[in-house]
Amino acid sequence: MEDVSAKFVSQKISRTRWRPLPAAALQPPDLFATGSWDNEDNRVSIWSAGDLGNAGLNGEYHGEPHLLCDIQHNGDVMDMQFLDQERIVVASSTGTVTIFRHHQNNQTLSANHRWEKAHYHVDQDTSCGGAACTGVVCNNPEIVTVGEDGRINLFRADQKDAVRTIDNADSSTLHAVTFLRTTEILTVNSIGQLKIWDFRQQRNEPSQIFSLAGDRVPLHCVDRHPNQQHIVATGGQDGMLSIWDIRQGTMPVSLLNAHEAEMWEVHFHPSDPDHLFTCSEDGSLWHWDTSTSVSEKPSFLHQGGRSTAYLSHSTINQSVVSAWLSNDPTKDRMEITNLIPNQTLSVNSLDVLGPCLVYGTDAEAIYVNRQLFA
């Protein structure tokens, strides 16, 4: 893959995240953060994606990611999310949640704020007993965390104590969380359920519960469509991609055969949500393209395993039909491309922003593709 640059980093990478761009920015993203896991010394690192300026004569791209700064992190990095341009929130397997600040003037990272044992099994004050914080989502200044302890915390970046804690939100492990709107979040758990929580309500009960029928397959990841808040994608232990319409029913609208092992992350493209990306324990990273008239488009991605799938849908009457929910068979063609033809170890994380993709693997490498739609 000539447009992908790799960097071997001698640590297993659990999370990769682009730094968000300022609202009016036209340039592609240039910085990303990574977190590591399963190493004696885990680290949170900030990288420059490489210099596009040193493209070759034919426009091919030579720059490789280079490390700007890093800092030690106690425990595995379970999840991470930028709060703003400078601050990044990191979830630890120890149960602690930390805000790190990236000082761009001297390229250093420092711990800005820490909630010790935000997640715990028995007692927050004992020396052991921390429960892994499995997921974090930010809507500055608000930060929501979920964990193995079935707890949900709502923090504010500028406040020492939690604004709200739902102690027994779930009897099983919560694996991931996303905002539906400013006051509503959606969680996925280890028994195949999605739950909606409304922070305006005082009672500590979900306002809605959805679930996969039959086998209670653990769900590991969730993402909400950026423009249509009712469309949600999830992935789990069986590698299937599920598309949900939370306005109706309690079952997924579509179940799509995907990876051969656990799906670790799913992301709609933030500005072009007809494109969705998933990565898996099986070493693959799939690009799902539902934009119309796929057949007329240039094959702008590698022939790493292209296949055309057909979605199965229930009939939906709605004025604006997303490609993810459409029941028009002519629109139901979907192009799926595996962006990693030579699969090896688990791809644990990915992030997409503008024309750029970054992903990290258990093969101790990070990869940047700067021309996703070239």
Side-chain angles (χ1 to χ4, degrees), residues 2-319:
E2 62 284 343
D3 47 0
V4 173
S5 53
K7 178 84 175 176
F8 292 93
V9 294
S10 57
Q11 47 187 355
K12 293 181 182 174
I13 298 297
S14 56
R15 284 292 180 265
T16 57
R17 296 286 181 259
W18 287 113
R19 181 181 70 174
L21 290 168
L26 296 173
Q27 79 274 22
D30 54 349
L31 290 192
F32 63 89
T34 61
S36 72
W37 81 286
D38 196 27
N39 305 296
E40 282 182 25
D41 174 24
N42 288 302
R43 306 194 83 74
V44 172
S45 310
I46 304 282
W47 304 81
S48 163
D51 184 10
L52 271 179
N54 54 13
L57 294 172
N58 303 327
E60 72 272 24
Y61 162 66
H62 292 308
E64 67 167 28
H66 62 268
L67 182 65
L68 295 176
C69 51
D70 64 356
I71 192 168
Q72 188 175 359
H73 180 264
N74 191 12
D76 294 341
V77 172
M78 302 292 287
D79 199 10
M80 65 194 317
Q81 201 86 36
F82 275 92
L83 184 65
D84 53 27
Q85 301 274 137
E86 266 114 47
R87 292 176 297 172
I88 184 159
V89 183
V90 181
S92 171
S93 57
T94 65
T96 294
V97 177
T98 310
I99 303 179
F100 291 102
R101 184 180 286 277
H102 174 216
H103 305 274
Q104 297 181 49
N105 50 357
N106 61 357
Q107 293 302 346
T108 57
L109 273 167
S110 65
N112 181 240
H113 190 80
R114 191 172 273 131
W115 290 281
E116 296 284 351
K117 290 227 192 83
H119 294 272
Y120 56 93
H121 283 303
V122 187
D123 182 4
Q124 206 164 12
D125 301 323
T126 52
S127 59
C128 56
C133 177
T134 51
V136 59
V137 66
C138 303
N139 184 15
N140 191 7
E142 296 190 324
I143 299 164
V144 176
T145 69
V146 296
E148 260 177 21
D149 53 359
R151 194 173 267 109
I152 298 172
N153 291 308
L154 171 63
F155 296 110
R156 283 180 67 98
D158 48 8
Q159 289 181 22
K160 187 165 141 307
D161 297 319
V163 177
R164 174 97 182 261
T165 294
I166 304 178
D167 273 324
N168 300 308
D170 212 298
S171 55
S172 61
T173 294
L174 291 169
H175 279 144
V177 59
T178 188
F179 274 103
L180 289 179
R181 40 183 75 83
T182 50
T183 55
E184 273 186 332
I185 59 163
L186 186 145
T187 59
V188 296
N189 70 11
S190 59
I191 54 171
Q193 293 175 319
L194 285 71
K195 296 182 181 181
I196 296 177
W197 306 83
D198 188 340
F199 285 131
R200 292 169 300 188
Q201 296 181 359
Q202 287 312 302
R203 59 196 187 92
N204 292 339
E205 300 288 328
S207 53
Q208 272 179 287
I209 300 178
F210 306 83
S211 59
L212 293 165
D215 300 337
R216 297 195 150 194
V217 177
L219 292 172
H220 291 303
C221 53
V222 60
D223 197 26
R224 188 206 80 199
H225 191 288
N227 314 333
Q228 297 181 285
Q229 277 92 333
H230 55 276
I231 301 175
V232 171
T234 64
Q237 189 169 300
D238 57 1
M240 299 273 284
L241 173 65
S242 308
I243 305 292
W244 308 72
D245 181 348
I246 59 171
R247 297 169 307 181
Q248 51 157 35
T250 57
M251 309 269 288
V253 177
S254 313
L255 278 170
L256 300 164
N257 272 319
H259 301 281
E260 290 165 21
E262 293 92 343
M263 184 190 295
W264 292 130
E265 287 202 335
V266 56
H267 290 287
F268 286 102
H269 191 286
S271 54
D272 198 355
D274 286 347
H275 299 267
L276 179 136
F277 298 83
T278 59
C279 63
S280 168
E281 179 72 27
D282 68 10
S284 64
L285 192 158
W286 286 16
H287 172 201
W288 307 69
D289 179 2
T290 63
S291 51
T292 46
S293 61
V294 166
S295 53
E296 298 161 25
K297 295 178 70 168
S299 57
F300 52 71
L301 290 162
H302 265 261
Q303 308 277 343
R306 162 150 333 119
S307 61
T308 301
Y310 289 85
L311 293 167
S312 60
H313 297 293
S314 51
T315 314
I316 302 162
N317 299 315
Q318 60 191 90
S319 51

Side-chain angles (χ1 to χ4, degrees), residues 277-279 283-287 337-340 347 350 357 359:
F277 298 83
T278 59
C279 63
S284 64
L285 192 158
W286 286 16
H287 172 201
T337 312
N338 179 13
L339 300 184
I340 311 177
V347 181
L350 73 98
L357 162 75
Y359 60 95

